[in-house]
Amino acid sequence: MFDVIIAGCGPTGATLAAELRLHGVRVLVLEKETEPVSYVRIVGLHIRSIELMAMRGLLERVLEHGRKRPAGAYYAAIDKPAPPGLDSAHAYLLGIPQPVIVQLLEEHAIAQGAQIRRGCTVTGLEQDDDEVTVELADGERLRTRYLVGCDGGRSTVRKLLGVGFPGEPARTETLMGEMEASAPQQEIAATVAEISKADRRFVFGPAGAGAYRVVIPAAGVSDRAEPPTLDDFRQQLRAIAGTDFGVHSPRWLSRFGDATRLAERYRVGRVLLAGDAAHIHPPIGGQGLNLGVQDAFNLGWKLAAQVRGWAPETLLDTYQAERHPVAEDVLDNTRAQMELNSTEPGPRAVRRLLTELMDIDEVNRRLLEKITAIGIRYDFGAGPDLLGRRLPDLDVKQGRLYGLLQHGRGLLLDRTGRLTPGGWSDRVDHLGDPTAALDAPCVLLRPDGHVAWIGDDQRDLDVQLSRWFGETE
Ligand SMILES: Cc1cc2nc3c(=O)[nH]c(=O)nc-3n(C[C@H](O)[C@H](O)[C@H](O)COP(=O)(O)OP(=O)(O)OC[C@H]3O[C@@H](n4cnc5c(N)ncnc54)[C@H](O)[C@@H]3O)c2cc1C
């Protein structure tokens, strides 16, 4: 009997496993692939995800494998630098291939004590008031108190739950892969430069060790899970470039579509959904992985609290209440970005107009805060603007603020010198006289770094401590 089983060891599942382990939850991750996937998908980690890595002591490792790039120019690939004075100690994009970040997250989860079983495909589930039974493809049945479907856009768990996934089907598909080519390099470069002028989606560039990364519109929409063949690439290259450049020896081949869909519910009883299992959208702006990792940070401590028995009645449901609107906003901004990348005259005119408007720092900042997720404000009720937002990684006497959040506990940043977490000290740490940079007398931070309360009154604080951290003995 496990506390939590996670279906899928992609970035979302691996992150969630590690978050749950911070609280001693017995967690098993079931992954259908026997080996980690090798194809490269992402542009990188945006600011909020980088901050979360810092918050759990992972940033140094991640930085060793990534490349810092400027934070701006990702909204619809409109070439504008980030506005000045971004409110983050980590105001850059971290270029890192998806297989590398997944491996680091998986290693971290294992180091925290998570069990990961590869070659296990979840095919069935049953739940009652007390537990969930998970069925695997080989007929094995496992019991758990909670199940989380982190099993990607075609989520079996979501389908087994019968949760609707409304939205728009794919209108176009793109082939992507790495392969070698026998045509001379200069000939390839000249042809590619010509095509890219008219079609932003066409990429044929060096991928290291003599291979090329190829991204090319597919002939139609197949909506199949299987990877394309090298012949599919050859045909499309001939159709678009007039030559297939003699491509051969593929390292990996993949395809993706531009479907946009959002799960109607993130929770049915003891089963929850996170990451691509809950939302899919075109990769423009590079937000999907980031969104899934951030879902996991939101869910992890709440589910752990539920398992440990101290969660307030409604805490687990705040996961959907907070994260569903965030995903809705990401879906909308990718829809907008797709329009801005259209080659039709109307959208091109809108793109020119927006490009001009982005010279206004506030406009540029708002768009960047969306893509990087640092602008998120959860609705915790009426209060100062900071309420519901994340605190940046402030300088505090003890070093950096995020260094104090590594164990996934709450934190009271108390400039009054009078307040205390009292009976909640086993879940909430106290930091007296933290920093002058904090523009409030006292702030209660949740384990995900969001501001749960601001004030200077102990009775108010106690109400909020029990709202977020349950009753004490
Ligand atoms: C071309 C491209 C570029 C992208 N670029 C970016 C980017 O720059 N930035 C960004 O943030 N995002 C990007 N994304 C999106 C990102 O790749 C996804 O959002 C991300 O992988 C979602 O992570 P996940 O863990 O939720 O799901 P997945 O990565 O899909 O992982 C799901 C896991 O579940 C496993 N699984 C599936 N079914 C079962 C089952 N029944 N039982 C057990 N295991 C199962 C799968 O094998 C897989 O390992 C891009 C996507 C594409 C296609």
Side-chain angles (χ1 to χ4, degrees), residues 239-253:
I240 293 169
T243 165
D244 62 17
F245 300 120
V247 290
H248 62 93
S249 313
R251 286 182 186 165
W252 52 265
L253 304 173

Side-chain angles (χ1 to χ4, degrees), residues 39-42 173-179 203 212-218 227-228 233 252-256 283:
Y39 51 83
V40 175
R41 289 206 287 212
I42 64 159
E173 247 181 28
T174 305
L175 307 180
M176 190 169 72
E178 280 181 14
M179 57 204 74
V203 177
Y212 289 87
R213 167 102 26 93
V214 182
V215 184
I216 182 168
F233 280 80
W252 52 265
L253 304 173
S254 168
R255 73 167 92 236
F256 63 92

Side-chain angles (χ1 to χ4, degrees), residues 16 40 71 75 81 107 145 147 176 198 236 242 254 262 271 283 293 341 356-358 379 385 411 432 434:
L16 181 62
V40 175
Y75 191 87
E107 284 170 8
R145 294 173 67 191
L147 168 69
M176 190 169 72
Q236 282 308 98
S254 168
L262 179 59
V271 186
V293 164
N341 265 358
E356 205 180 305
L357 289 175
M358 283 173 75
D379 182 4
D385 184 61
L411 181 63

